[in-house]
Amino acid sequence: VEPDRPSPLVPSPKVVPPAERANRWPAALWLIGFGVLAGRIGFRRMRFALECRGQPAHGDAQFSEQARSLARRLGLSQTVRLLESTKCLGPVAFGLGQPTVALPARFTADFTPAQQAAMLAHELAHLAARDPAWYLLADLVSAALWWHPLAWWARRQLHAASEVAADEASLLVTNGPAALAESLVKLGGQMTEPKSAGGLGIEGFRSGLGRRVERLLQLDGQTWRAPNRLKSFLARTLGPLALALVAVLCTAWAWPQSMLASETPFSRLRESWRGMMATVAPSAHAADHRY
């Protein structure tokens, strides 16, 4: 009697090796983390777009002309839209396609003309540097590399450097640094009030308030100089690429075995990385016991 043979019309079930199943959980974990953070980014930006909607700002002609003059001096070729919103505690710059500055509803009533000009110069400097686009890129990179502390550190450094560069634009205004420092202190006081809990502020505003005010006071008497666009572009593009390369190298030990089955650049890179770590580890161990 011949043994039963599987029918050629019925495909046999695919058996997944245990090693391959074990290699799937890091990808699933990464996908969950990326999905959560990407969804959070999208939700926050959608909420910001909805809450920061406002009417065109009804400033006087002198204020509008001052805004156009500052935009030209900062190198902004596009027309900047000025909005007035009751949800904003302070001026906020945003917009990828249409540069926009949202102003608080009582902006002209709560701040002096010098403070208004200094704060406006600060926000226009963010737009001139394309900071909204860079912030979005930093958020996406941090979401993709959510497990790596260097990604979050680089994101914080980008925000801090952008604030410092935008603060320097206050030098375009007479007594601008002092006026901007006064505005920051006033906004910081408003953020501590319970009624401001639902308002839109600047991320990380209070944490670096003291450092920013101190630096602004040190800017008095200096002259504003336009940043070198080539250097800024290289710093903002090569920096993230270097960060991504470091992140990949730091996780070379976790690459799946299927990538190492043949002689590929990935296999050679991983073996080189393992060899370097094997050399460094004994040396560090010996140095710890030298004294």
Side-chain angles (χ1 to χ4, degrees):
V1 179
E2 294 183 359
D4 295 337
R5 295 181 179 180
S7 173
L9 300 179
V10 180
S12 57
K14 181 181 179 181
V15 179
V16 181
E20 186 175 344
R21 289 199 302 267
N23 284 334
R24 289 181 178 178
W25 72 263
L29 182 62
W30 172 84
L31 188 60
I32 292 173
F34 176 75
V36 170
L37 290 175
R40 180 171 176 264
I41 292 171
F43 174 77
R44 289 182 60 185
R45 289 182 172 271
M46 184 179 299
R47 174 178 173 268
F48 178 84
L50 292 175
E51 292 191 352
C52 212
R53 289 185 305 178
Q55 301 297 325
H58 298 290
D60 54 21
Q62 183 178 359
F63 180 78
S64 300
E65 177 57 33
Q66 186 177 41
R68 287 191 292 267
S69 175
L70 288 171
R72 286 194 300 267
R73 296 182 65 181
L74 289 167
L76 266 171
S77 57
Q78 293 178 278
T79 302
V80 178
R81 181 177 54 172
L82 297 178
L83 298 180
E84 205 171 77
S85 174
T86 57
K87 292 291 186 178
C88 293
L89 298 177
V92 181
F94 63 96
L96 298 178
Q98 173 66 55
T100 306
V101 176
L103 304 172
R106 293 182 51 83
F107 183 65
T108 55
D110 292 344
F111 298 97
T112 65
Q115 292 172 346
Q116 296 173 32
M119 297 170 75
L120 186 59
H122 174 95
E123 300 305 328
L124 291 174
H126 278 302
L127 295 176
R130 305 292 189 271
D131 284 339
W134 289 112
Y135 287 173
L136 176 59
L137 178 62
D139 287 344
L140 294 177
V141 170
S142 300
L145 300 176
W146 58 266
W147 42 266
H148 206 293
L150 277 178
W152 298 102
W153 175 84
R155 179 179 177 272
R156 288 194 300 270
Q157 293 302 311
L158 172 65
H159 281 257
S162 299
E163 291 300 326
V164 169
D167 283 347
E168 292 182 355
S170 63
L171 290 169
L172 292 171
V173 180
T174 303
N175 200 27
L180 182 57
E182 295 170 357
S183 304
L184 291 177
V185 173
K186 188 171 184 177
L187 287 173
Q190 292 178 358
M191 287 184 175
T192 61
E193 299 176 5
K195 64 180 181 180
S196 67
L200 296 174
I202 302 172
E203 183 180 359
F205 178 85
R206 278 177 282 184
S207 61
L209 175 61
R211 292 190 297 271
R212 288 181 61 190
V213 170
E214 182 181 4
R215 190 175 186 279
L216 280 167
L217 296 179
Q218 295 173 354
L219 287 177
D220 270 336
Q222 299 185 24
T223 303
W224 180 81
R225 291 181 297 178
N228 188 294
R229 293 186 178 274
L230 177 60
K231 291 182 179 179
S232 299
F233 176 79
L234 291 177
R236 291 174 187 253
T237 52
L238 296 182
L241 289 176
L243 175 64
L245 180 60
V246 170
V248 170
L249 289 177
C250 288
T251 56
W253 59 272
W255 289 345
Q257 295 295 328
S258 59
M259 297 178 64
L260 307 177
S262 58
E263 186 68 15
T264 63
F266 294 103
S267 62
R268 292 193 294 269
L269 182 59
R270 178 171 174 174
E271 293 304 321
S272 300
W273 179 259
R274 280 182 166 177
M276 183 180 70
M277 295 304 296
T279 304
V280 172
S283 302
H285 181 74
D288 290 339
H289 296 81
R290 185 175 299 172
Y291 301 103

